[in-house]
Amino acid sequence: MAARPTAPVLAAHALAWALTAWALGATLRHGLAEPRTAAAFGALIAVGELARWGARDGERDPAPLASAGALAYALLGQVAGHAGRHGVLQVIAVVVAAMLLGSVPHVAVGRGPSADEMARRVLTVAFAAVCFQPLYHAGLLDDWFGHGPSFAFVLLLLLVLTALCDAVVAALLLYARTRYPFGPLLRDELRGLLGIGSAVCATGTVIALAVAVAGLWALPVFCVPLLLTQLAFRRYAAVRTTYRQTITSLARATEIAGYTKPGHARRVAELSRAVGRELGLCESELTVLEYAALMHDIGQLSLLDPVPAGATAALPVTEQRRIALLGGAVVRQTGVPADVALIVERQADPYWEQPLAARIIRAVNAYDDLAEGADGPGSSLNALEQLRLGTGRDYHPRVVESLARVLARGCLTRVPPG
């Protein structure tokens, strides 16, 4: 179920759309200053939007070429040695128009940017333009820093501040929608800056400096490195998607063989990931948790007779540990990270000896078994109550309460198979 927009989300959207309307209205009324420059940067941003890919969790910028072009235009002071005449409002208008134009094919197939992403991009570009354009046109940057290496350092510093602003806005929007802890969300966004974010900042700086000296011919030349980086990221994303699909297919072996109910592994993985976010795990830890949750029942393939409904919690502790150890041994043969196998092996240990990921899978797995094994609208509540009764011996209290908060945000509905 999609989360309803909250007051901070609506405020961010309203500010972004107000800036957009003001900028487009002012630009239409007064006309474009330096139309060739605006058209060149608009074309670059539109091409970058056309080359975007669908981002999953952990992929912070699916259109890095467009982002670099937008930031470069916001921090552009000169073109081939001549002072530029565009201001903050024209920067916003050109960037928004190019983004919309480049997004049309993606919107047509249902893969366009979300409202949050559009608002975030508008606010980020506006921040960069407001920090640079008024100071530059007032001559203050020339007086303070001149045109030497110190000016390049100022541009880079402004881009870093803009990237930090973007990370904060992204984390706030996600926090307002999900109510996951803000600190880990911001930490993930800042970590994302070390990847494609650093390439976007560096390319934006280089483009702004190169166009100031060499003119618009520098645009295609200095965009090539980022374009190659984007292609490499797309290939990496494709490999990672294939890798995850392979793990998901392997996890379904227990369902196909009749050891677990259909969709059980996917439900446990999705709900475990949500609980992990609630507990503040970072993106890499969430990925390991998800893989372990998908494969947590694979040790059941060693059983001669399936456990009723796949609920191993009813088995003796020694049998549970044997199944867990066999599952870990199988996982180690698949080539996934060793951390995944360790979590699968430890899921039957006493919870006070388990790593956090194993505690999460243990509680979520039990919840799904109990909720799916009961009938009626109160099955989710009854399952959660049984987990709470078992916090003294079987389940970690903090994990159970985090699970309760995640379920409460979904009105205690079951996680779908997906």
Side-chain angles (χ1 to χ4, degrees):
M1 183 175 64
R4 293 181 179 179
T6 59
V9 174
L10 294 176
H13 289 185
L15 178 58
W17 305 146
L19 287 172
T20 298
W22 183 18
L24 290 174
T27 303
L28 290 174
R29 185 168 60 253
H30 300 295
L32 284 173
E34 299 173 325
R36 289 180 65 251
T37 302
F41 275 92
L44 173 62
I45 296 168
V47 169
E49 287 292 334
L50 286 171
R52 73 163 40 239
W53 71 84
R56 294 182 69 246
D57 290 340
E59 295 169 357
R60 294 299 183 264
D61 195 341
L65 189 60
S67 296
L71 291 176
Y73 191 49
L75 301 180
L76 184 66
Q78 294 184 350
V79 180
H82 301 287
R85 292 182 290 109
H86 64 281
V88 174
L89 295 180
Q90 180 168 315
V91 168
I92 297 174
V94 169
V95 169
V96 170
M99 285 171 53
L100 294 175
L101 180 63
S103 298
V104 169
H106 298 288
V107 173
V109 296
R111 294 198 304 265
S114 64
D116 281 3
E117 184 182 345
M118 293 287 288
R120 169 183 165 188
R121 294 276 293 278
V122 171
L123 295 176
T124 300
V125 170
F127 177 84
V130 167
C131 288
F132 178 80
Q133 293 293 333
L135 294 177
Y136 181 83
H137 290 302
L140 297 178
L141 292 180
D142 286 344
D143 296 340
W144 295 343
F145 304 103
H147 289 283
S150 57
F151 185 76
F153 175 77
V154 170
L155 287 186
L156 185 59
L157 179 61
L158 287 177
L159 278 173
V160 171
L161 291 175
T162 302
L164 293 175
C165 171
D166 180 63
V168 171
V169 171
L172 283 173
L173 288 173
L174 190 56
Y175 168 75
R177 285 195 178 276
T178 64
R179 292 301 174 186
Y180 290 136
F182 177 74
L185 293 177
L186 180 59
R187 181 185 61 196
D188 282 344
E189 293 294 337
L190 293 176
R191 283 181 176 176
L193 295 179
L194 300 178
I196 196 68
S198 60
V200 169
C201 289
T203 304
T205 303
V206 170
I207 289 175
L209 293 173
V211 171
V213 176
L216 298 177
W217 291 105
L219 276 178
V221 175
F222 288 94
C223 286
V224 170
L226 185 58
L227 182 59
L228 295 176
T229 302
Q230 179 172 348
L231 293 175
F233 265 74
R234 292 187 69 170
R235 176 170 292 186
Y236 169 75
V239 170
R240 190 172 64 178
T241 300
T242 303
Y243 184 65
R244 186 180 183 278
Q245 290 172 347
T246 301
I247 292 177
T248 303
S249 299
L250 182 60
R252 291 190 66 239
T254 56
E255 301 173 12
I256 296 172
Y259 284 88
T260 57
K261 290 187 175 181
H264 172 72
R266 288 294 301 273
R267 290 193 298 271
V268 173
E270 292 175 7
L271 192 50
S272 292
R273 189 179 178 93
V275 174
R277 258 203 195 282
E278 180 73 22
L279 290 170
L281 297 185
C282 67
E283 192 61 42
S284 60
E285 293 169 330
L286 289 173
T287 300
V288 171
L289 172 63
E290 181 182 11
Y291 289 168
L294 283 170
M295 305 181 75
H296 75 280
D297 272 331
I298 202 157
Q300 291 198 42
L301 295 175
S302 65
L303 298 174
L304 294 178
D305 297 314
V307 179
T312 56
L315 296 176
V317 175
T318 55
E319 184 66 8
Q320 292 182 40
R321 290 181 178 173
R322 187 186 72 83
I323 294 173
L325 290 173
L326 287 171
V330 173
V331 172
R332 291 183 189 278
Q333 301 300 316
T334 64
V336 300
D339 292 347
V340 176
L342 178 64
I343 294 169
V344 173
E345 291 171 346
R346 300 288 301 278
Q347 61 179 315
D349 292 351
Y351 78 76
W352 53 86
E353 298 178 3
Q354 291 177 318
L356 178 57
R359 294 174 179 176
I360 293 171
I361 294 174
R362 182 189 185 105
V364 173
N365 177 53
Y367 166 79
D368 189 74
D369 287 340
L370 293 168
E372 289 296 313
D375 295 324
S379 58
S380 295
L381 284 170
N382 293 334
L384 188 59
E385 186 60 28
Q386 291 187 55
L387 260 63
R388 283 184 167 136
L389 292 174
T391 52
R393 181 173 58 90
D394 296 320
Y395 311 109
H396 196 285
R398 191 161 67 98
V399 172
V400 174
E401 291 311 311
S402 296
L403 173 61
R405 288 194 295 271
V406 170
L407 293 170
R409 283 198 292 269
C411 299
L412 289 177
T413 56
R414 299 175 188 175
V415 179

